[in-house]
DNA sequence: TTTAGATTAAACCTATAGGAATAATATGCT
DNA sequence: AGCATATTATTCCTATAGGTTTAATCTAAA
């Protein structure tokens, strides 16, 4: 399951993407409008800043801004950082690879091959979906059947 | 000034580097021996794990481990992530570059050239110093005069 | 002896508090 | 008018609480 941290990060980012031409956005605004716990969100935004996904201005009139265009911020990146590896088993993870000691025949393990497929299609979707995509999806009225159009 | 987060991260990492052949190390052990606030350290270690600098094992007998050899973990990386850009002015930052609007003649700005030199030598030292280096330094009896030997 | 469940030890997750640093703006003094 | 000082709004930093999940080990029943 996606952690709250990851979900809140994504929500805040989509919000910032939508408001990207309106100057710095307050933590308080994001928290209130998206119903996110303010202090927790504060930590998350700070981490996003350290990742160079956001930048900030301090002091009066300050707030948070995207550090790059929405089209350059991939869901996959955010999920990996805030939620951990996409892979369901370590042996198919690209970012946190490890052999499964309990699987003797690593090379022919069926679980591994299926899970690798799962990871790969997940990565393809998540790395192919940017904040721009998410904003576009939310702006449209259609349901999941036509998502392919966006991705 | 180096933030506590950065300092604690480095201290914990050096401790883990020294203990690297002793299996998983407990948060509690690190906190106690290095006199670091336990719950705060917990957050920092988790972040180091998300950065793939550490790995962990959960449950009984668990703890934290380096995710790669000490020689591959650079001080510069840790400092940048936990403390921010090395540059003292944004216009010389590699990771967070921004033009200084208040300096009209960016190209010929003297402050900038000096600060660039400062950033470059800082980066050279910090990126050239790994956990392995730090452990070696602490194992030696000499003072800063002979640090060049290590770096 | 195997298996199922209980206990325990550990990291992990969500959340919050309180104050420091920073920057804009307003205010008051010369 | 110009400068110093105070106020205010904001992010940033350090720290902590409390509960959840995971995994190893122990215990008891089948
Ligand atoms: S080798 Fe990883 S699931 Fe079998
Ligand atoms: S241009 Fe950055 S200090 Fe002058």
């Amino acid at each position: 399951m996606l952690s709250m941290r990851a979900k809140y990060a994504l929500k805040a980012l989509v919000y910032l993407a939508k408001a990207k031409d309106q100057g710095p956005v307050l933590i308080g605004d994001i928290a209130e409008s998206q119903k996110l716990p303010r202090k927790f969100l504060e930590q998350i935004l700070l981490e996003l800043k350290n990742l160079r996904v956001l930048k900030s201005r301090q002091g009066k009139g300050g707030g948070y801004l995207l550090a790059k265009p929405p089209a350059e911020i991939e869901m996959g990146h955010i999920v990996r950082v805030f939620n951990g590896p996409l892979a369901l088993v370590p042996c198919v993870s690209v970012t946190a690879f490890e052999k499964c000691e309990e699987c003797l025949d690593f090379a022919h393990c069926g679980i591994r091959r299926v899970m690798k497929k799962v990871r790969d299609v997940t990565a393809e979707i998540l790395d192919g979906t940017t904040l721009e995509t998410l904003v576009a999806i939310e702006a449209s009225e259609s349901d999941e059947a036509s998502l392919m159009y966006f991705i």
Side-chain angles (χ1 to χ4, degrees), chain A residues 51-140:
Chain A
L51 290 170
R52 327 281 180 218
V53 171
L54 296 182
K55 23 180 210 184
S56 65
R57 277 188 219 147
Q58 229 175 161
K60 202 165 184 174
Y64 278 94
L65 303 150
L66 296 185
K68 43 191 174 182
E72 290 173 26
I73 299 172
E74 296 171 4
M75 265 186 95
H77 180 213
I78 307 303
V79 171
R80 269 184 275 249
V81 169
F82 285 94
N83 200 62
L86 301 181
L88 264 26
V89 285
C91 59
V92 298
S93 174
V94 171
T95 57
F97 174 85
E98 245 176 294
K99 249 193 263 187
C100 304
E101 337 163 357
E102 72 278 10
C103 289
L104 296 177
D105 195 353
F106 170 87
H108 300 98
C109 176
I111 299 174
R112 180 168 152 272
R113 294 200 198 171
V114 174
M115 290 308 188
K116 174 152 174 42
K117 185 70 189 168
V118 173
R119 190 222 82 103
D120 288 347
V121 295
T122 304
E124 201 176 304
I125 295 170
L126 260 30
D127 290 335
T129 305
T130 67
L131 287 192
E132 191 180 51
T133 323
L134 285 173
V135 170
I137 288 173
E138 297 199 353
S140 88

